[in-house]
Amino acid sequence: MHSDAAAVNFQLNSHLSTLANIHKIYHTLNRLNLTEDVGQDDHQTGSLRSCSSSDCFSKVMPPRKKRRPAAGDDLSAKKSRHDGMYRKYDSTRIKAEEEVFSSKRCLEWFYEYAGTDDIVGPEGMEKFCEDIGVEPENVVMLVLAWKLDAQNMGYFTLQEWLKGMTSLQCDTTEKLRNSLDYLRSLLNEPTNFKLIYRYAFDFAREKDQRSLDINTAKCMLGLLLGKAWSLFPVFHQFLEQSKYKVINKDQWCNVLEFSRTINLDLSNYDEDGAWPVLLDEFVEWYKGKQMT
């Protein structure tokens, strides 16, 4: 019996000693801030959470590192990320380069229509108009010719093309298509319109002639004033029945001034003013037409 009691006491003392050691370890770790924070309830009650030796051991050990991928996997992942970043960078770079004007690209674009020549002729011009979606007789083509300072109707030289397209910052069909509304808007500004109107006379006339033949004049006037001047249909009718075969530059410029300053009923027209005879005759013809 005595030996049994002694054995029990020994086991109990060992167990208590173990608990005491565990308690010391916990407090030591707590002072070193190596244990988890005590919960709010534990602070309030002053109690300590139980902690086994294995728990305490895990608190002081660094976390287990994840398995590093195999060298092949790592290289594959890096390559995939690199390829994705490169594709994104490359597409951004290409897009940026496309947006920046390129003389080389503009030159290549010119030869799509010029062929082996240094001039775009009627056939190339027809294809050019088709590509940008504009009829050759559309007024925007006149505005474009003005921007290129083209000298002959139906032709664009290499020098005219490069100078004009550079000023427009257009080196592709798409960019020019996107600029058509801008070109049309130039007609709405009075100063630009006047410059384009004056340019049209020299652009359309035969270069060995000082005047514009009457049929070409009627077409160009219709293009420029047909929608802007309410009296144009009547003026066109007057030209149809008149004896005039050509129109000179002075007459041409005065028609624009007349359309801008004279009332539709002609009430403010001064017959003694410095108007050309052409317009005096038009006013007289139109008043006679109204009376009849």
Side-chain angles (χ1 to χ4, degrees):
M1 283 296 290
H2 182 72
S3 60
D4 291 338
V8 170
N9 288 334
F10 176 79
Q11 290 177 354
L12 181 62
N13 288 334
S14 296
H15 182 64
L16 290 173
S17 176
T18 300
L19 288 176
N21 287 334
I22 291 171
H23 217 62
K24 286 179 181 178
I25 292 170
Y26 178 82
H27 280 288
T28 300
L29 295 176
N30 193 40
R31 284 197 302 273
L32 295 173
N33 291 325
L34 294 176
T35 62
E36 292 177 353
D37 291 339
V38 176
Q40 186 176 1
D41 293 338
D42 292 334
H43 279 300
Q44 290 172 350
T45 60
S47 64
L48 293 171
R49 287 177 296 180
S50 62
C51 175
S52 68
S53 57
S54 62
D55 289 334
C56 293
F57 183 74
S58 68
K59 287 183 174 67
V60 295
M61 288 297 290
R64 199 170 173 184
K65 292 184 179 179
K66 294 181 180 178
R67 182 186 69 84
R68 289 180 60 84
D73 294 341
D74 195 39
L75 287 173
S76 178
K78 284 183 177 179
K79 185 176 185 302
S80 178
R81 289 196 299 273
H82 179 269
D83 288 349
M85 290 173 65
Y86 178 78
R87 281 195 298 270
K88 185 176 180 182
Y89 164 77
D90 199 46
S91 62
T92 303
R93 178 181 59 80
I94 291 171
K95 185 176 180 182
E97 286 179 355
E98 287 175 350
E99 289 175 355
V100 175
F101 178 82
S102 164
S103 296
K104 180 176 179 291
R105 191 160 54 229
C106 189
L107 194 63
E108 292 170 351
W109 185 34
F110 171 81
Y111 282 111
E112 287 181 24
Y113 305 106
T116 57
D117 299 324
D118 285 341
I119 188 168
V120 176
E123 288 186 11
M125 194 68 74
E126 185 177 349
K127 184 178 185 301
F128 173 69
C129 290
E130 184 179 331
D131 288 350
I132 64 173
V134 172
E135 294 294 328
E137 61 272 14
N138 192 300
V139 69
V140 77
M141 286 301 295
L142 176 63
V143 182
L144 177 62
W146 172 66
K147 290 297 286 186
L148 270 60
D149 195 23
Q151 298 302 303
N152 296 296
M153 188 182 293
Y155 296 87
F156 289 152
T157 67
L158 175 59
Q159 185 178 2
E160 292 166 353
W161 180 282
L162 288 176
K163 182 180 178 182
M165 294 303 184
T166 300
S167 71
L168 289 170
Q169 290 292 283
C170 291
D171 53 16
T172 64
T173 299
E174 184 182 3
K175 286 183 183 179
L176 184 57
R177 278 204 205 103
N178 293 335
S179 298
L180 292 178
D181 285 341
Y182 160 71
L183 291 173
R184 291 187 184 97
S185 72
L186 296 175
L187 294 165
N188 299 326
E189 205 283 309
T191 302
N192 281 328
F193 183 88
K194 188 172 184 178
L195 291 172
I196 295 167
Y197 181 89
R198 286 174 171 266
Y199 163 81
F201 180 87
D202 291 318
F203 179 62
R205 69 178 172 84
E206 296 291 337
K207 296 305 175 272
D208 59 346
Q209 302 292 322
R210 295 174 63 87
S211 299
L212 201 58
D213 76 84
I214 197 66
N215 289 327
T216 304
K218 287 186 292 187
C219 290
M220 295 301 286
L221 287 170
L223 199 62
L224 290 159
L225 298 179
K227 294 180 180 179
W229 185 29
S230 299
L231 282 180
F232 175 75
V234 184
F235 184 69
H236 184 274
Q237 190 180 352
F238 163 73
L239 292 177
E240 288 274 288
Q241 60 82 54
S242 74
K243 64 181 186 297
Y244 289 96
K245 303 298 180 185
V246 296
I247 288 184
N248 62 39
K249 194 161 189 176
D250 180 63
Q251 292 167 332
W252 176 265
C253 294
N254 272 281
V255 169
L256 175 61
E257 190 65 21
F258 184 98
S259 71
R260 286 183 165 182
T261 59
I262 302 303
N263 299 335
L264 296 180
D265 62 0
L266 310 181
S267 58
N268 62 335
Y269 183 79
D270 182 6
E271 294 180 359
D272 296 325
W275 297 105
V277 175
L278 171 72
L279 291 172
D280 287 335
E281 291 178 353
F282 166 63
V283 171
E284 185 180 352
W285 175 85
Y286 183 50
K287 286 182 176 179
K289 186 177 175 64
Q290 287 181 312
M291 291 177 64
T292 59

